Amino acid sequence: MDQIHVEGGVRLEGEVQVSGSKNATLPLMAAALLGEGPTLLRNVPDLADVTTLLQLLRTMGADAERVPGAERHVLRIHAGPDVVPEAPYDLVRRMRASVLVLGPLLARFGRARVSLPGGCAIGARPIDQHLKGFRALGAAISLEGGYVEARADRLRGATVRFDKVTVTGTENVLMAAVLAEGTTVLENAAREPEVEDLARALTAMGARIQGAGSDLITVEGVTRLHGVEHTVIADRIESGTLLVAAAITGGDVLVKGAVAAHLDAVVGKLREAGCTVVATPDGLRCKGPPQLHPVDVQTTEHPGFPTDMQAQLMALLSVADGTSVMSENIFENRFMHVAELRRMGADIRVEGHTAVVKGVHTLSGAPVMATDLRASASLILAGLRASGVTRVARVYHLDRGYEGLERKLQTLGARATRVK
Ligand code: UD1
């Protein structure tokens, strides 16, 4: 298994291009199932999760491929009328976002059978809110043998109030509602930029949607959708990770393509920590201070501070000149990186869903191992600052969400290498 070795102590400088958003791409790929013609997605990141979903779409009988010659960044997806609307356990267990095919399959084919995703490293992550939405739209749902089976000849518009803000839940029910008969209102909807990007693509496919990006989305159902050509938004979590890489090394980096409007909370916290962050016509530029300040952070739904940046910011705050308090409010069990950061010399205490991070003067390189995607990124960031070499094992987690992170860091001067 690959490892990434990071030799710390280099101040990062220069420009780096951010990739397309993973969390926008996955629902867009599922949405392609709704179109009667082919869909072309551009600016798709080259990641293992995208490969898994392509494989799932092909298993169901859709044409789904990376367009040759486009450096794996363009996908073509076409689902004909003979698609078999079933997603087997084998693929769903590799990536829980596979559950996003449920809404589109149900809406277009009147039936879907999708394996339940099960738990994952960062908590139980149920899909009860997705199912609540489909039921409200008139679907009959049964759970049998580890599979969700949903049926409806034609979904009917309804008001769905989510008990909890859920990103993929909002996306899944939105994709079902676009082909339902009549009006659907989604209350307490997720406001993430990825939901907005999905709504933009669906609208270009012929859907009638208002309010995406707010917590109240209204959909007028239509009878059919066509394919679309759509460019995926930039990945705000990768952008944020690269900004922290600049900050933690006291460097000066322009993250090209980063969208300031998607990163308000992250930029706000970086500024509180003493960084200079400016929006330029090309992206966001971050300059790290000689000494970082402590910052208190609470993860919340967008537009609040994203849970997907919590581990990376913790690496940064572990070398600030004081004590920071970080609360994780979205997922239980999302502090697995703490034990590894401590092995590098960080002083962090966890109490329930709160981590108290007492800044230390230096971190030291160590062999470490990550158990989830963002945790791996946080260890690489800590490695950039640490003395000596940090060896990060199990980088397949990192590869699920970052396209060539070590190569991007190298272009900024980092001594980060992948070791087979
Ligand atoms: C998405 C992102 C993930 C991010 C998360 C929160 C994708 C592919 N993944 O995950 O990177 O960390 O949003 O920003 O976009 N919940 C329920 N019932 C449900 C659904 C969710 O109780 O039916 C709970 C979850 O357990 C969790 C919280 O709601 O505690 C938020 O989860 P959700 O927004 O659904 O996360 P995902 O969409 O899975």
Side-chain angles (χ1 to χ4, degrees):
M1 270 186 287
D2 291 5
Q3 292 195 348
I4 289 180
H5 293 185
V6 185
E7 202 184 324
V10 181
R11 187 173 174 268
L12 300 192
E13 272 181 333
E15 298 181 0
V16 60
Q17 177 68 42
V18 67
S19 296
S21 160
K22 167 179 87 79
N23 286 353
T25 297
L26 300 174
L28 287 164
M29 291 173 71
L33 288 168
L34 288 163
E36 290 179 14
T39 282
L40 208 65
L41 297 177
R42 301 185 192 280
N43 197 34
V44 170
D46 184 10
L47 300 172
D49 278 4
V50 172
T51 308
T52 303
L53 191 48
L54 281 172
Q55 210 177 329
L56 174 59
L57 296 175
R58 281 197 292 267
T59 304
M60 297 190 296
D63 295 326
E65 54 176 16
R66 291 192 170 89
V67 173
E71 292 180 17
R72 300 169 66 85
H73 292 148
V74 180
L75 305 182
R76 185 183 173 281
I77 300 169
H78 181 214
D82 47 354
V83 154
V84 181
E86 297 195 355
Y89 175 64
D90 192 39
L91 287 165
V92 177
R93 83 183 156 80
R94 294 208 322 241
M95 183 185 63
R96 55 183 320 290
S98 309
V99 77
L100 282 164
V101 299
L102 198 44
L105 290 175
L106 175 64
R108 175 150 174 228
F109 301 99
R111 175 178 96 79
R113 190 168 177 271
V114 175
S115 171
L116 279 167
C120 76
I122 57 173
R125 298 181 91 171
I127 58 161
D128 57 301
Q129 296 302 308
H130 304 227
L131 302 184
K132 172 182 167 170
F134 300 140
R135 279 200 184 98
L137 298 180
I141 309 267
S142 56
L143 302 177
E144 223 182 276
Y147 280 75
V148 181
E149 176 126 13
R151 285 177 182 274
D153 288 338
R154 172 102 197 260
L155 295 168
R156 290 182 316 273
T159 295
V160 179
R161 181 168 180 84
F162 293 105
D163 301 316
K164 190 156 193 172
V165 179
T166 156
V167 180
T168 48
T170 300
E171 292 164 345
N172 223 345
V173 180
L174 174 62
M175 290 188 282
V178 289
L179 286 181
E181 189 181 346
T183 308
T184 297
V185 179
L186 304 181
E187 296 177 357
N188 200 24
R191 291 178 281 171
E192 268 67 1
E194 294 77 18
V195 176
E196 252 186 292
D197 200 34
L198 172 65
R200 227 173 350 251
L202 289 169
T203 302
M205 293 169 82
R208 295 172 60 195
I209 302 168
Q210 279 188 334
S214 78
D215 61 0
L216 188 76
I217 303 178
T218 307
V219 183
E220 291 294 334
V222 296
T223 50
R224 54 180 19 169
L225 295 175
H226 48 79
V228 68
E229 265 193 63
H230 181 83
T231 300
V232 178
I233 54 171
D235 196 303
R236 63 195 164 98
I237 304 302
E238 189 201 15
S239 302
T241 303
L242 292 166
L243 294 174
V244 173
I248 201 169
T249 62
D252 184 356
V253 171
L254 172 65
V255 182
K256 287 169 74 177
V259 180
H262 296 170
L263 282 152
D264 280 344
V266 172
V267 167
K269 290 299 165 187
L270 288 173
R271 286 188 179 138
E272 268 184 60
C275 302
T276 307
V277 187
V278 285
T280 77
D282 292 331
L284 280 171
R285 181 172 171 191
C286 178
K287 230 170 131 175
Q291 179 61 62
L292 290 153
H293 308 312
V295 169
D296 292 344
V297 187
Q298 303 246 4
T299 65
T300 50
E301 295 87 6
H302 192 77
F305 190 89
T307 175
D308 285 351
M309 277 299 298
Q310 178 254 109
Q312 300 91 313
L313 194 76
M314 191 181 292
L316 184 77
L317 297 176
S318 74
V319 289
D321 67 350
T323 301
S324 307
V325 179
M326 303 187 76
S327 301
E328 171 56 55
N329 298 314
I330 304 295
F331 291 114
E332 57 195 280
N333 215 356
R334 208 181 194 180
F335 282 140
M336 278 100 54
H337 43 285
V338 169
E340 300 299 293
L341 288 172
R342 278 161 62 170
R343 298 186 57 246
M344 298 177 70
D347 182 349
I348 306 169
R349 200 175 71 242
V350 173
E351 290 163 10
H353 67 106
T354 298
V356 180
V357 185
K358 217 164 134 189
V360 295
H361 196 61
T362 49
L363 295 174
S364 54
V368 287
M369 188 168 80
T371 42
D372 86 44
L373 164 54
R374 307 304 169 185
S376 329
S378 111
L379 297 174
I380 289 186
L381 292 170
L384 291 171
R385 171 70 179 240
S387 61
V389 178
T390 299
R391 296 183 180 81
V392 184
R394 293 204 185 165
V395 291
Y396 54 85
H397 288 296
L398 188 81
D399 293 339
R400 284 191 41 225
Y402 292 91
E403 181 178 331
L405 183 63
E406 80 283 2
R407 287 197 309 274
K408 293 193 181 185
L409 294 172
Q410 279 162 15
T411 65
L412 301 172
R415 291 187 291 249
T417 46
R418 183 173 291 253
V419 179
K420 295 273 174 198

